[in-house]
Amino acid sequence: MSFDSPFLLLSLLALPAAAGAFRLAERRRMRYAIRFTNLEVLATVAGGRDWRRYVPPVLLALALASLCVALARPHAKTLVAKERATVVLVIDVSGSMQAHDVRPTRLAAAQAALRTFLDRVPKKLRVALIIFATEAQVGTLPTNDHALVRQSVDAIDSDAMGGTAIGDALAAAVALARQPAGGGTTVAVDPRARSRASSTTILFLSDGAQTTGFLQPLQGAARAKAAGIRVYTVSLGTPGGTLSFGPSFGALGRTISVPPDPETMKAIARATGGQFFAARSARALQAAYERLGSHLGRAAGRVEVTYVFLIVAAGLLVGAGLLSALWSPRLP
């Protein structure tokens, strides 16, 4: 915890002085109590109440201490939303995403995780969506209208087929990050393009190895690294995942293996300074996106917590007043 005006904490030194004054007042009170000649009345007033007498003053002292700390305007370290931060969501929609090893299907589980992510991120965070199979397509340009991104997630074609072009999808995400806020393109010499890209994070989900495309995965990762973009990767699926084709696809009962490629996903995250997650179940995928939704778009910062100490002080003062009125000795 840090303080905007730490020198005001010196006001806490007044508390020991107040405690000493209270002690002196107690001793004077005891001296006059000895002169009280009616011992029966004295027993009625003071008997069995010794410890209760000290509770209200202690609460009052704590309230004053809390107010003194509030005067110094305390701040707590926490994650705060980044200004102008952008996350580009990249999701694999190739044919293997129809595998059922992750229930109900890999693609349906991924869509649900993306919705969870959108619920967790800061409301001012700009989010973009890229879907890819054989080629990459922009689903949503960077926007802080998360409902619009959710609509694009819901509209993903669950019957899409095609290969997996991981390198090209990464390159498309980097190009999108370099675009100005109003859309269009930028030239490579524009220093603002790198500034926009460096405030961008890519969240990349794929369930398999690259099967097509112009760029290899690490070539796409190199573009992200050159732009100062971290790529967080999620490898979806189990090693035993399979995909069955029926007669409508020109084959009779053919089943192919569609295992994920975690090593490639790890290499991409490592090359760009991101983080890798392996998701073999819908629950693990949800957990990964919940964690990332709470982390991406935020940075370590300070938030003022003065109000907390003011609330505590008010509660202590009310408690001290109520207990003092309730427990104060009364003459019969």
Side-chain angles (χ1 to χ4, degrees), residues 91-114 164 205-209 235-243 256-261 279-282 285:
I91 180 172
D92 185 350
V93 296
S94 59
S96 57
M97 290 289 285
Q98 298 303 318
H100 294 275
D101 56 335
V102 178
R103 298 292 180 181
T105 65
R106 292 178 179 178
L107 181 57
Q111 288 173 290
L114 288 176
T164 306
L205 180 145
S206 180
D207 72 333
S235 177
L236 179 61
T238 63
T242 59
L243 189 64
I256 61 172
S257 177
V258 286
D261 184 11
R280 296 190 176 188
S281 67
L285 185 62

Side-chain angles (χ1 to χ4, degrees), residues 152-165:
S152 297
V153 170
D154 294 340
I156 292 175
D157 186 2
S158 61
D159 296 323
M161 297 297 293
T164 306

Side-chain angles (χ1 to χ4, degrees), residues 1 27-28 40 74 129-130 139 142 189-190 199 215 243 246 314 327:
M1 183 174 291
R27 293 184 65 179
R28 290 189 63 186
E40 292 183 0
L129 175 67
I130 287 180
V189 296
D190 185 356
S199 64
L215 296 177
L243 189 64
W327 290 344

Side-chain angles (χ1 to χ4, degrees), residues 242-264:
T242 59
L243 189 64
S244 298
F245 293 90
S248 60
F249 294 96
L252 296 175
R254 186 162 65 94
T255 299
I256 61 172
S257 177
V258 286
D261 184 11
E263 294 306 317
T264 296

Side-chain angles (χ1 to χ4, degrees), residues 58-307:
V58 169
L59 293 180
L60 177 61
L62 292 175
L64 292 176
S66 185
L67 287 174
C68 291
V69 175
L71 284 175
R73 297 188 62 186
H75 286 71
K77 292 182 178 180
T78 185
L79 291 178
V80 297
K82 293 181 183 177
E83 292 293 333
R84 299 182 299 277
T86 301
V87 172
V88 180
L89 302 174
V90 185
I91 180 172
D92 185 350
V93 296
S94 59
S96 57
M97 290 289 285
Q98 298 303 318
H100 294 275
D101 56 335
V102 178
R103 298 292 180 181
T105 65
R106 292 178 179 178
L107 181 57
Q111 288 173 290
L114 288 176
R115 297 185 194 102
T116 298
F117 178 85
L118 293 171
D119 290 336
R120 292 275 180 166
V121 295
K123 295 188 181 300
K124 292 185 178 181
L125 178 72
R126 287 157 47 88
V127 182
L129 175 67
I130 287 180
I131 58 177
F132 78 97
T134 302
E135 60 183 21
Q137 298 179 346
V138 176
T140 308
L141 292 172
T143 176
N144 53 21
D145 185 353
H146 297 171
L148 180 62
V149 182
R150 182 186 292 267
Q151 291 176 9
S152 297
V153 170
D154 294 340
I156 292 175
D157 186 2
S158 61
D159 296 323
M161 297 297 293
T164 306
I166 293 175
D168 292 354
L170 283 170
V174 173
L176 188 61
R178 288 180 177 273
Q179 288 187 7
T185 58
T186 60
V187 293
V189 296
D190 185 356
R192 292 172 298 178
R194 180 178 175 85
S195 176
R196 280 188 295 271
S198 61
S199 64
T200 300
T201 302
I202 295 174
L203 178 51
F204 193 98
L205 180 145
S206 180
D207 72 333
Q210 170 140 324
T211 60
T212 187
F214 295 100
L215 296 177
Q216 292 300 310
L218 291 183
Q219 289 177 309
R223 293 195 180 188
K225 182 179 180 181
I229 299 175
R230 293 186 178 186
V231 182
Y232 290 75
T233 58
V234 179
S235 177
L236 179 61
T238 63
T242 59
L243 189 64
S244 298
F245 293 90
S248 60
F249 294 96
L252 296 175
R254 186 162 65 94
T255 299
I256 61 172
S257 177
V258 286
D261 184 11
E263 294 306 317
T264 296
M265 294 292 102
K266 283 181 184 178
I268 292 171
R270 189 183 307 117
T272 60
Q275 192 172 355
F276 165 76
F277 297 86
R280 296 190 176 188
S281 67
R283 180 175 297 180
L285 185 62
Q286 284 281 351
Y289 273 76
E290 285 180 5
R291 177 178 174 184
L292 289 168
S294 300
H295 173 73
L296 297 184
R298 293 179 169 92
R302 298 165 65 241
V303 60
E304 187 169 351
V305 292
T306 300
Y307 70 95

